[in-house]
Amino acid sequence: MLVIGIVLNALSTIAFGYLTYIDERNIFLLLSLCLRVLESLGATGAMVAAFSLTAVSFPESVASTFSALEVCYGIGYIVGPTLGALLFEVGGFSLPFVVMGFITLGTSFLVCILMKQDVPSPNKAKTKVTHLMRVPTVLVNSIATLITATAMGYYSATLEPHIRGFGLSSVEVGFMFIISGGTYALIVPVVGYVYDTGLNPKKIMIIGTILTVVSFSMVGPAPFMPIEKSMLWVVIGLVIQGIALGMICVPTFVDSMTAAFQSGFPNDIHTYGLFSGIWTSSFALGAFLGPSIAGVLYDMVGFENGTYFEISLHVVLGVMLTFFVCLEQRPSDKSVVNGISDSTVGFTGHADAVDPTSAAPVPGAAMRSPIYTIDGP
């Protein structure tokens, strides 16, 4: 799936670059939509496979390893706008897509050459996404991932028109997107290391929500802020957002796995694949909703007033996470499952439980108690 996803993404990206030669409006829109759908399917397949293979290959340090993947994402977030702007200046619309498509295609050959072939194939299991989503930590972390992705998408859609008045060139605008992505790439290894030391991931995420609120308050600036719009505040706000993204995104994936394993789900590549799909779907949905909502708000109320949307979302998320932290019950004896932190929240006492041998809910069975619990009804 990893190689197929990469190849599909690369070919659709290359083809998208040649749409500039199509003059008929309806055909252009139809092909644009089809190619973007194919590109997203390829990217999703590659991301799900990469997360799954990484988790099963490095079970003793999932958080640190996952943060390494996020470093690569942050680097891509830097290189993409910058290189795209430079290539656009040199060769117009087609060149950025063609160059990046062939670079992506080249990575598929590297995967075939370097990828080890000793990763176990998943057995047929009864575990479903709906089973995993019954674990409250998985549900909350999925919501957190979605909300965080909307914040990233909000800036991607509205940052350029917001700073257009400063008279920046297309290359300089591309460098503005480096700020958030570069900070994100630098912070995620630190967050992964801190998480692996056993710090409660939800406390890390709460700090991330607070920093996100501060970021949107500065970049606008929000109407309630007693400051004037300036490049300095925009830069500071983007730096803070990069830190906030790392503090929310990294803990969600590993914390969800920990919660499910502690609740009795099997620790195998099938479960990793389901988690990768849940995380990727949540992020993709947020990445879709963020720019879409941002564009509407920008046209209706402007950038400054539109920031209230993201500020409100992250305030609600912070309150939700604080509620979970307050309800967590810490026992005297802690354990670590598969080298992963024991910070988790799950149901106990439910009528439906998970049979570790079948990885499916078994009515009336006794639930394996998680480390941290919230008593169910």
Side-chain angles (χ1 to χ4, degrees):
M1 179 184 287
L2 180 60
V3 175
I4 294 174
I6 293 174
V7 172
L8 180 60
N9 179 270
L11 294 179
S12 57
T13 300
I14 294 171
F16 194 88
Y18 288 100
L19 291 181
T20 186
Y21 297 105
I22 297 177
D23 298 325
E24 212 285 317
R25 179 176 179 272
N26 292 331
I27 296 178
F28 176 85
L29 292 176
L30 179 61
L31 290 178
S32 297
L33 178 62
C34 292
L35 288 175
R36 291 295 287 174
V37 169
L38 290 175
E39 183 181 348
S40 65
L41 288 175
T44 300
M47 287 179 65
V48 171
F51 289 156
S52 302
L53 294 174
T54 301
V56 77
S57 300
F58 302 93
E60 301 300 324
S61 56
V62 178
S64 297
T65 309
F66 180 74
S67 66
L69 287 179
E70 290 300 292
V71 169
C72 296
Y73 177 84
I75 294 174
Y77 197 64
I78 295 171
V79 173
T82 308
L83 181 59
L86 291 173
L87 292 174
F88 180 82
E89 292 285 344
V90 173
F93 177 83
S94 298
L95 190 61
F97 294 99
V98 174
V99 171
M100 295 308 301
F102 276 107
I103 291 176
T104 304
L105 190 62
T107 61
S108 65
F109 294 101
L110 289 178
V111 170
C112 293
I113 296 173
L114 302 177
M115 191 74 180
K116 295 182 179 180
Q117 302 299 320
D118 56 358
V119 178
S121 299
N123 298 321
K124 185 177 181 180
K126 299 179 181 179
T127 308
K128 298 180 180 179
V129 171
T130 54
H131 299 157
L132 294 174
M133 294 300 286
R134 293 176 187 175
V135 181
T137 289
V138 177
L139 178 60
V140 170
N141 285 337
S142 299
I143 295 173
T145 302
L146 187 153
I147 292 176
T148 304
T150 65
M152 185 180 296
Y154 193 97
Y155 279 143
S156 66
T158 59
L159 181 61
E160 188 277 331
H162 178 61
I163 62 177
R164 191 177 297 162
F166 295 116
L168 303 179
S169 66
S170 58
V171 175
E172 291 171 331
V173 171
F175 275 106
M176 290 299 296
F177 286 93
I178 290 180
I179 298 173
S180 179
T183 308
Y184 178 80
L186 292 174
I187 196 65
V188 288
V190 179
V191 175
Y193 174 78
V194 171
Y195 182 92
D196 279 336
T197 62
L199 183 64
N200 190 325
K202 292 177 182 60
K203 293 182 179 179
I204 301 175
M205 294 166 64
I206 290 171
I207 298 174
T209 61
I210 295 173
L211 292 178
T212 303
V213 171
V214 173
S215 168
F216 277 93
S217 300
M218 287 184 173
V219 173
F224 59 82
M225 291 290 289
I227 57 176
E228 296 293 332
K229 176 182 175 180
S230 69
M231 279 299 300
L232 176 61
W233 290 119
V234 171
V235 171
I236 294 175
L238 291 176
V239 170
I240 294 175
Q241 191 218 20
I243 297 173
L245 289 175
M247 298 184 75
I248 300 177
C249 282
V250 173
T252 54
F253 184 80
V254 191
D255 188 39
S256 293
M257 288 195 303
T258 307
F261 296 153
Q262 296 285 358
S263 298
F265 287 90
N267 188 345
D268 58 22
I269 192 171
H270 180 81
T271 306
Y272 287 132
L274 290 177
F275 274 122
S276 300
I278 292 173
W279 193 92
T280 304
S281 298
S282 301
F283 192 91
L285 179 59
F288 165 75
L289 293 176
S292 303
I293 297 174
V296 174
L297 290 176
Y298 187 89
D299 289 338
M300 293 179 60
V301 299
F303 186 93
E304 292 82 358
N305 289 307
T307 56
Y308 279 126
F309 171 74
E310 289 295 340
I311 291 173
S312 300
L313 279 182
H314 284 83
V315 168
V316 172
L317 177 60
V319 172
M320 187 188 308
L321 294 171
T322 303
F323 176 77
F324 259 64
V325 171
C326 292
L327 289 182
E328 285 178 347
Q329 302 171 2
R330 293 178 177 271
S332 56
D333 296 328
K334 296 184 179 180
S335 63
V336 176
V337 175
N338 198 30
I340 302 177
S341 169
D342 62 0
S343 178
T344 181
V345 178
F347 283 125
T348 181
H350 262 242
D352 290 344
V354 176
D355 180 359
T357 61
S358 66
V362 180
M367 172 70 79
R368 176 183 172 187
S369 298
I371 297 300
Y372 301 149
T373 64
I374 295 178
D375 292 338

